[in-house]
Amino acid sequence: TAFVIVQVIILPLMMWQCGVAPLEINPMIGPYPDALNYWGAKNAVLIIDDGELYRLITPIFLHAGLIHLAGNVLVQMDSGNRWEKEWGSLIWIIVYIGSAIGSSVLSVIAMPDQISVGSSGSIMGLFGAKFAEIIVLMCEKGTTVRELAAEQSRKEQACHVIFGIIIVMAMSFIPYVDWAAHLGGLVAGFAIGIVCFSFTMRNKFGTVFWLGVGVASCFVLYSTFIAIMFTTETDDEMRDVCAYYQQFFEGYECKCQLDEDWAANYNYAWLASYYNGQEGGGGADDGEG
């Protein structure tokens, strides 16, 4: 619930500070792409080359627009809240944040020339963790009436999880959201879920076995993804998201750009020069109203 509250607050703030983009630029009814970048969207060149690793997590607090936000909030308030009550807040947060990192890392690898935002990678991680819980616990055969009923319930839950995954994956191709983030979150959540739910098994051998599988999966997954991420070729044009999108949309307005002093303080000489060029009449916004 806390994550939902923050997400619901941030989008209107972005739209108030940076304006609402025309529908041809952002059909989700939301801010301009440079506003998303300004507030912490996934941007490969800034993550890899400039060390802004916080951008592996901050995208979960941002959404492309009202439609995007509404879809993710509904899923979080339904399945997310229910599973937090089942698992406890600690496991839920571990899965949610861990999946956010996994989703952003794979997104950087697969789509380094695009910015992306949204909590759907973490939501996919919750579905992945729930699927891991079902698989781990199905390895134990029930002997009592209660345990047999739980087995039947898990079969129904599996159908719910698969349906949820299909719905979220269907949202993978809306603007500023990407399939790689969803897939990365799903796989990361599944691996983390195996670790977390191995401790719920009654059989000690089962606990040790699944814990080993989960730890090994997490290590291989994250170490491999991160290693590949830092070898990914980035697009230097994405340093200036506003100028990048001005190439494709006539009349694109830059309403959330950083000022010259900020750029100079952080040694972005290229950005300082860009603003100097604007003052001299040679900026990217020349001719714009």
Side-chain angles (χ1 to χ4, degrees):
T1 303
F3 284 94
V4 169
I5 292 174
V6 174
Q7 292 160 2
V8 169
I9 291 174
I10 286 180
L11 180 60
L13 284 177
M14 281 197 295
M15 296 169 70
W16 171 76
Q17 180 191 23
C18 307
V20 179
L23 293 180
E24 60 266 23
I25 296 176
N26 185 352
M28 292 295 105
I29 312 176
Y32 288 84
D34 60 287
L36 300 175
N37 183 69
Y38 179 88
W39 279 74
K42 181 227 83 182
N43 187 330
V45 68
L46 299 181
I47 293 171
I48 297 173
D49 296 346
D50 295 351
E52 297 183 6
L53 298 179
Y54 65 86
R55 289 179 182 271
L56 295 176
I57 296 179
T58 50
I60 65 174
F61 298 104
L62 311 175
H63 287 83
L66 296 176
I67 298 174
H68 186 202
L69 175 67
N72 281 348
V73 165
L74 287 174
V75 176
Q76 288 181 100
M77 293 298 292
D78 179 24
S79 300
N81 280 358
R82 182 168 65 252
W83 293 336
E84 184 177 6
K85 292 176 182 178
E86 289 182 16
W87 304 342
S89 295
L90 179 60
I91 290 178
W92 192 93
I93 290 174
I94 290 173
V95 171
Y96 196 83
I97 299 298
S99 300
I101 296 173
S103 69
S104 294
V105 170
L106 186 56
S107 178
V108 168
I109 295 170
M111 309 183 75
D113 58 345
Q114 295 185 24
I115 63 169
S116 60
V117 295
S119 60
S120 46
S122 289
I123 292 173
M124 288 293 279
L126 295 176
F127 280 110
K130 185 62 180 178
F131 199 61
E133 179 189 25
I134 293 170
I135 290 176
V136 168
L137 295 182
M138 283 183 67
C139 293
E140 290 191 317
K141 296 298 181 181
T143 55
T144 66
V145 173
R146 183 176 180 179
E147 291 170 354
L148 292 172
E151 283 186 12
Q152 181 61 36
S153 175
R154 282 193 287 273
K155 294 178 181 178
E156 296 173 359
Q157 289 174 348
C159 295
H160 171 78
V161 169
I162 293 172
F163 178 75
I165 291 173
I166 293 173
I167 293 297
V168 178
M169 286 302 294
M171 300 171 61
S172 296
F173 304 100
I174 66 176
Y176 315 120
V177 183
D178 60 73
W179 62 267
H182 289 169
L183 180 60
L186 177 65
V187 175
F190 182 79
I192 296 171
I194 291 177
V195 175
C196 293
F197 298 114
S198 64
F199 293 101
T200 63
M201 299 192 71
R202 299 185 303 273
N203 185 292
K204 290 184 178 180
F205 174 79
T207 296
V208 173
F209 173 78
W210 283 111
L211 178 60
V213 171
V215 170
S217 299
C218 286
F219 176 78
V220 172
L221 176 71
Y222 282 96
S223 61
T224 302
F225 275 14
I226 291 173
I228 295 174
M229 182 185 74
F230 281 108
T231 63
T232 299
E233 184 177 348
T234 58
D235 184 353
D236 210 51
E237 286 189 348
M238 291 302 295
R239 289 182 180 279
D240 188 347
V241 174
C242 183
Y244 178 81
Y245 279 93
Q246 282 181 327
Q247 302 175 72
F248 308 105
F249 298 104
E250 183 179 355
Y252 186 101
E253 299 180 25
C254 304
K255 295 187 175 182
C256 262
Q257 288 291 285
L258 304 174
D259 59 33
E260 180 181 348
D261 291 336
W262 191 98
N265 289 338
Y266 282 82
N267 295 320
Y268 287 133
W270 66 271
L271 190 53
S273 299
Y274 171 77
Y275 279 97
N276 286 332
Q278 280 190 313
E279 292 176 0
D285 282 329
D286 286 355
E288 299 295 335

